[in-house]
Amino acid sequence: MPEKKLRLSPVQRAATVIISLGAQRASDVYKYLSEDEVEMLSLEIAKMQRLSEEDVRETMEDFYGLCVTQKVINEGGVIYARDVLEKAFGPEQAASLMERLSKSLKTQAFEFIRKADYKSLQMALASEHPQTIALVLSYARSDQASMIIAELPRTMQIDVIKRIANLDRTSPEIVSIVEKTLERRFDSIISADQVEVGGVPYIADIMNRVDRSTEKFVFDELGEQDPKLAEEIRKLMFVFEDIVNLDGLAIQRFIREVDSKDLAVALKAANEDVKEVIFQNMSSRVRETIQTDIQYLHNIRLRDVEEAQQKIVGVIRQLEEAGEIVIARGEGEEIIA
């Protein structure tokens, strides 16, 4: 049975379900929602005028399918659920339902770790095997994982990073064993279903957050041990040298956001291509000021330069996340102006 593409937005579909439940049942559902979710849904319900019978029917059928999927997964596990859903809905729609619930499944495992202080997590993992560390960090927030990887012994960093990148799916049994091992150090334990963890996109997110020194070491070592993996990770990252690939408007935009002192320090040891493309996108007055500042910078520590460059990368990534600039990643990615 091919899946139908619903015309309503996710919020509109949620509002349609709430309306269809009736006031009493809707109020019961509201008890389990956050204030922001209640406000968002109530606003959408208030805006809705009339819905076609087809929209209501398709939305409720989709909602029913998701409810059935969640129930079958909870009762019988992922493999059992896939068999049941394929028989009930057909392979295409079953795959779609499983995929749409994968994010909620992923957050069930190691929830207590994502709430933990990274220092506590670091202490808990101090004596663990690299494979265990890789598994746990795959469930941690990327900012936690980046700080822990930066403080691992140099000899272990590459090993853990490669293991995270090569993780695909982990069985509930293995996740449960690791969780029980950490239970003595953390007071919360959550059962796990089979979920997707780790992978190249996740390790790229981690590497975007580590300090420049760790980043350089990792890519120098990984480039020798596994150049193909290093290149895959780099394609999903944005580093200071990638500024040369930004368009003029994007460069002008981030220049307005960064501190001029940070920019001067960052450019002190930058390569000529980066300097040139940044200076080309400044007014002559600002360019002269920055060049003068660079000229009078002496005895600057490499660590200070790397920190300034990382601040600028952080600003660029924030602007991208806000949709104010576009970063093209990978060869052949087309950007429509």
Side-chain angles (χ1 to χ4, degrees):
M1 181 190 299
E3 182 192 11
K4 293 182 179 179
K5 185 175 179 61
L6 299 178
R7 292 186 290 268
L8 302 180
S9 70
V11 178
Q12 288 174 324
R13 295 203 299 272
T16 301
V17 171
I18 292 294
I19 292 170
S20 300
L21 289 175
Q24 182 57 52
R25 290 195 180 98
S27 66
D28 291 336
V29 172
Y30 269 28
K31 295 175 185 177
Y32 297 93
L33 302 179
S34 67
E35 291 182 1
D36 288 343
E37 289 169 335
V38 169
E39 181 181 353
M40 178 176 62
L41 271 177
S42 299
L43 181 62
E44 191 62 44
I45 291 170
K47 291 192 300 183
M48 296 183 92
Q49 298 296 323
R50 289 182 61 83
L51 289 170
S52 69
E53 289 185 12
E54 184 181 5
D55 282 338
V56 174
R57 179 179 55 77
E58 289 183 350
T59 298
M60 295 307 293
E61 285 178 357
D62 183 61
F63 177 64
Y64 172 74
L66 290 173
C67 289
V68 170
T69 303
Q70 183 70 69
K71 184 174 186 294
V72 177
I73 287 175
N74 289 341
E75 292 180 352
V78 175
I79 296 175
Y80 172 75
R82 186 175 292 113
D83 290 340
V84 172
L85 293 169
E86 284 182 356
K87 291 175 183 176
F89 298 105
E92 187 174 345
Q93 190 171 353
S96 174
L97 290 168
M98 293 287 289
E99 177 66 24
R100 288 168 61 187
L101 281 178
S102 65
K103 289 185 179 179
S104 64
L105 287 174
K106 184 170 184 177
T107 61
Q108 291 175 12
F110 288 103
E111 182 66 26
F112 66 98
I113 280 178
R114 286 185 288 277
K115 296 177 181 178
D117 173 78
Y118 102 90
K119 283 291 185 184
S120 301
L121 182 55
Q122 182 184 26
M123 291 175 63
L125 295 174
S127 59
E128 295 295 340
H129 187 276
Q131 183 64 26
T132 301
I133 296 174
L135 174 62
V136 173
L137 293 187
S138 292
Y139 285 96
R141 301 191 314 270
S142 56
D143 61 308
Q144 291 173 312
S146 65
M147 289 186 284
I148 289 170
I149 285 176
E151 296 192 26
L152 287 175
R154 292 297 200 192
T155 54
M156 191 184 290
Q157 284 181 341
I158 300 301
D159 190 11
V160 170
I161 283 171
K162 290 174 70 175
R163 289 173 186 270
I164 293 175
N166 289 325
L167 279 171
D168 181 18
R169 291 180 182 272
T170 304
S171 71
E173 291 78 12
I174 293 176
V175 173
S176 179
I177 291 170
V178 176
E179 285 184 324
K180 288 176 181 177
T181 301
L182 297 178
E183 185 177 12
R184 294 187 300 272
R185 302 155 198 174
F186 295 95
D187 294 328
S188 180
I189 187 77
I190 297 177
S191 61
D193 277 291
Q194 183 173 341
V195 294
E196 294 182 2
V197 296
V200 173
Y202 183 78
I203 199 64
D205 191 21
I206 291 175
M207 295 308 299
N208 262 325
R209 299 170 186 270
V210 300
D211 59 88
R212 290 274 287 172
S213 176
T214 301
E215 175 193 301
K216 185 177 185 304
F217 168 78
V218 166
F219 279 110
D220 286 348
E221 292 294 315
L222 203 56
E224 293 183 6
Q225 296 184 24
D226 195 335
K228 183 179 179 182
L229 176 59
E231 181 61 23
E232 287 179 11
I233 296 171
R234 276 193 179 279
K235 284 181 178 179
L236 297 178
M237 287 180 61
F238 182 89
V239 296
F240 186 75
E241 288 74 20
D242 290 331
I243 287 174
V244 298
N245 298 322
L246 295 177
D247 61 45
L249 290 176
I251 294 173
Q252 293 164 26
R253 180 67 187 89
F254 86 72
I255 286 174
R256 296 202 301 270
E257 295 295 325
V258 300
D259 186 280
S260 60
K261 292 181 181 178
D262 285 336
L263 189 55
V265 173
L267 292 178
K268 178 71 176 179
N271 65 49
E272 292 303 315
D273 290 338
V274 174
K275 287 181 180 178
E276 181 180 356
V277 76
I278 289 179
F279 286 145
Q280 284 176 348
N281 285 281
M282 291 178 173
S283 67
S284 57
R285 180 181 60 81
V286 174
R287 181 169 60 249
E288 289 171 4
T289 299
I290 296 294
Q291 288 174 333
T292 301
D293 289 343
I294 293 173
Q295 184 179 353
Y296 285 99
L297 283 173
H298 298 293
N299 300 321
I300 299 296
R301 296 177 301 180
L302 178 59
R303 185 174 67 186
D304 293 332
V305 174
E306 291 174 343
E307 286 180 358
Q309 291 178 348
Q310 201 68 7
K311 283 183 183 178
I312 292 171
V313 169
V315 169
I316 292 171
R317 293 180 68 235
Q318 287 173 5
L319 290 171
E320 183 194 27
E321 289 170 3
E324 296 192 38
I325 65 174
V326 175
I327 297 175
R329 288 180 169 84
E331 294 181 5
E333 183 172 3
E334 296 182 7
I335 302 297
I336 301 175

